[in-house]
Amino acid sequence: MMPVLIVLNAGSSSLKFQVYDTPDGAEPRVAFKGLFEGLGGSAHFIVKDASGNLLDEMTWSSGDRLGHEEALMHLVSWLRQHQEGRRLAAIGHRVVHGGAAFTGPVIVDEDVVQKLETLVPLAPLHQPHNLEPIRIVRRRLPGLPQVACFDTAFHQTQSEIASLFALPREMRERGVRRYGFHGLSYEYISSILKDYDPRLATGRVIAAHLGNGASLCALDKGISIATTMGFSALDGLPMGTRCGAIDAGVVFFMLREMQLSPEAAERILYTKSGLLGVSGLSNDMRVLRANAATDADAKRAIDLFVYRITREIGSLVAALGGLDGLVFTGGIGENDVATRAEVVAGLAWAGLALDEEANRAGGPRISAGSVATAWVIPTNEELVIARQTQSVLGATQARLAS
Ligand code: ADP
């Protein structure tokens, strides 16, 4: 029987999944992928095969109030009916925050769950949703191994100086430091650089993960040495609905002068800012691009996004001591030709020159010059979770056998 892994990425009202075959000694291979949307309301389930052909779908009425637990059990029973020679071996979870304690993926036990719960205050909008399916599986499928894979872990290689805030020592002791996120995406990019150009794998590369969430990571020989996200997923670049780096004084202004509660201020910074806040129109880059010629606010939002990316790249070039390659990934990085062109145009000083035709074609290489090169590389966070889950399980089985 082929052992399979389910890889889960849980949000507040969604559950994305990929099911991987894990042939002995080989790279995990997608068998099925899909998602539940609208959980808690009118939920919808779709599942496709590895080539993207629709295999099944189902819609529940809002009266059913399908939650994460029912969704997960529906997925497991769907798999049982469609597994033909497969055996569910484990579930791998994306967990946003691993804190200082988790420097790599771990098998989940009660102690791990408790430690991850203590990190909820560090990622209040993401961590609870990531932990919910872990608890559900422990309750409903108690014998099934689970592995937690962290968005923070890849950045644990950063120096102490890169991770420090200039705050009193007591705060650092309470865990107030830069952690960095999007680590599963950057680990994938780091792992694949050699296939695009071996010089990238041994050189100084900035990876730009530009999606609804957005950040940059400086990779020195494939290792993270600096990143734009910090203590929370709010820092760094402006994003779809998040503000990115702002002066901490703005938060005091919101609380004291605008009399906002901490919750109301947090909601503005996480869900009403970024591209949406500046444009007043949308958090979706496609909508902003379609309106930029006639809507000054849509153009302003895009211009600010590009300006901040270019400036932050400058800061990471300094951290790396130079630049050999720039990689675009994420929904915007992989698809938005204009954002890539505008960012590269702002980096002529770093030796980058755009190959316009290659950029329009989507790369992979989109630069013309040879001082520093620019690339489009689709990310694959789920594959990293599958690899990490497979490797942690393999290591555990090997330990038990010896
Ligand atoms: P998430 O961070 O939620 O995973 P994605 O990586 O899917 O987000 O990125 C979503 C962003 O990608 C949106 O701003 C969307 O407009 C943008 N995007 C997706 N496809 C295109 C496209 N063809 N052209 C421009 N932007 C795109």
Side-chain angles (χ1 to χ4, degrees):
M1 294 268 256
M2 170 76 79
V4 300
L5 308 173
I6 300 179
V7 168
L8 290 180
N9 184 355
S12 58
S13 64
S14 68
L15 185 65
K16 293 188 196 154
F17 63 86
Q18 295 203 358
V19 178
Y20 282 85
D21 289 335
T22 57
D24 215 11
E27 177 92 330
R29 245 188 352 241
V30 176
F32 309 111
K33 55 188 170 184
L35 81 163
F36 295 84
E37 284 176 304
L39 294 175
S42 169
H44 186 61
F45 163 71
I46 57 168
V47 55
K48 299 177 176 177
D49 66 15
S51 322
N53 303 308
L54 187 67
L55 294 178
D56 204 357
E57 64 182 320
M58 190 160 162
T59 302
W60 288 263
S61 74
S62 51
D64 291 333
R65 303 191 66 77
L66 192 85
H68 285 80
E69 178 154 356
E70 295 79 13
L72 197 50
M73 295 319 290
H74 180 79
L75 172 61
V76 169
S77 76
W78 187 93
L79 254 185
R80 283 199 183 115
Q81 287 158 26
H82 296 81
Q83 62 188 359
E84 294 144 20
R86 296 183 165 101
R87 172 183 64 82
L88 179 57
I91 299 191
H93 298 265
R94 177 190 200 157
V95 178
V96 137
H97 220 306
F102 296 108
T103 56
V106 279
I107 299 240
V108 174
D109 59 18
E110 191 48 40
D111 182 47
V112 168
V113 173
Q114 279 178 17
K115 286 199 175 105
L116 293 178
E117 269 166 8
T118 66
L119 299 172
V120 166
L122 302 189
L125 302 194
H126 294 99
Q127 193 85 343
H129 303 304
N130 300 157
L131 296 187
E132 192 178 353
I134 293 181
R135 278 196 220 96
I136 293 168
V137 174
R138 282 177 66 71
R139 197 165 56 239
R140 299 290 302 268
L141 304 163
L144 190 64
Q146 302 192 76
V147 175
C149 304
F150 302 102
D151 261 317
T152 45
F154 184 68
H155 300 295
Q156 294 274 345
T157 47
Q158 291 182 9
S159 69
E160 186 193 29
I161 293 298
S163 71
L164 274 181
F165 288 122
L167 288 169
R169 265 206 337 238
E170 313 80 88
M171 296 200 60
R172 187 168 90 225
E173 280 149 19
R174 285 205 56 185
V176 181
R177 45 159 278 199
R178 303 175 62 87
Y179 292 96
F181 298 90
H182 286 141
L184 297 165
S185 175
Y186 293 129
E187 181 166 333
Y188 177 76
I189 298 295
S190 171
S191 76
I192 202 94
L193 286 175
K194 62 180 184 323
D195 295 356
Y196 287 84
D197 184 342
R199 284 170 301 184
L200 296 174
T202 54
R204 298 158 298 181
V205 170
I206 294 175
H209 180 107
L210 309 177
N212 267 320
S215 70
L216 305 173
C217 179
L219 296 167
D220 190 11
K221 302 183 187 69
I223 305 258
S224 170
I225 65 146
T227 185
T228 55
M229 276 186 178
F231 174 68
S232 71
L234 264 189
D235 201 7
L237 306 176
M239 307 174 214
T241 63
R242 285 174 249 162
C243 56
I246 55 167
D247 181 339
V250 173
V251 181
F252 297 110
F253 183 86
M254 293 170 90
L255 299 181
R256 198 175 293 129
E257 301 303 321
M258 297 174 71
Q259 304 270 306
L260 294 173
S261 66
E263 293 73 24
E266 186 175 56
R267 209 162 38 246
I268 290 175
L269 300 180
Y270 273 96
T271 67
K272 297 186 189 311
S273 300
L275 295 174
L276 173 67
V278 177
S279 69
L281 178 68
S282 174
N283 64 313
D284 190 315
M285 183 56 91
R286 281 166 293 196
V287 176
L288 298 181
R289 287 282 175 202
N291 287 277
T294 52
D295 181 335
D297 287 327
K299 180 169 184 320
R300 188 173 287 122
I302 296 172
D303 288 350
L304 176 59
F305 184 62
V306 170
Y307 171 77
R308 292 289 318 159
I309 294 168
T310 316
R311 258 185 72 174
E312 290 286 337
I313 287 176
S315 154
L316 294 186
V317 171
L320 284 165
L323 183 69
D324 300 306
L326 171 65
V327 173
F328 290 94
T329 194
I332 299 173
E334 291 167 31
N335 298 296
D336 194 35
V337 176
T339 294
R340 294 196 300 258
E342 291 163 15
V343 169
V344 171
L347 294 169
W349 62 270
L352 279 173
L354 190 71
D355 177 335
E356 286 186 22
E357 207 175 305
N359 186 38
R360 268 195 301 277
R365 181 172 160 161
I366 59 166
S367 55
S370 59
V371 181
T373 53
W375 303 82
V376 180
I377 302 182
T379 194
N380 194 343
E381 291 155 295
E382 291 79 9
L383 178 60
V384 172
I385 298 171
R387 283 175 181 164
Q388 291 187 352
T389 302
Q390 188 184 33
S391 109
V392 170
L393 286 179
T396 310
Q397 277 153 10
R399 226 179 12 254
L400 290 176
S402 66

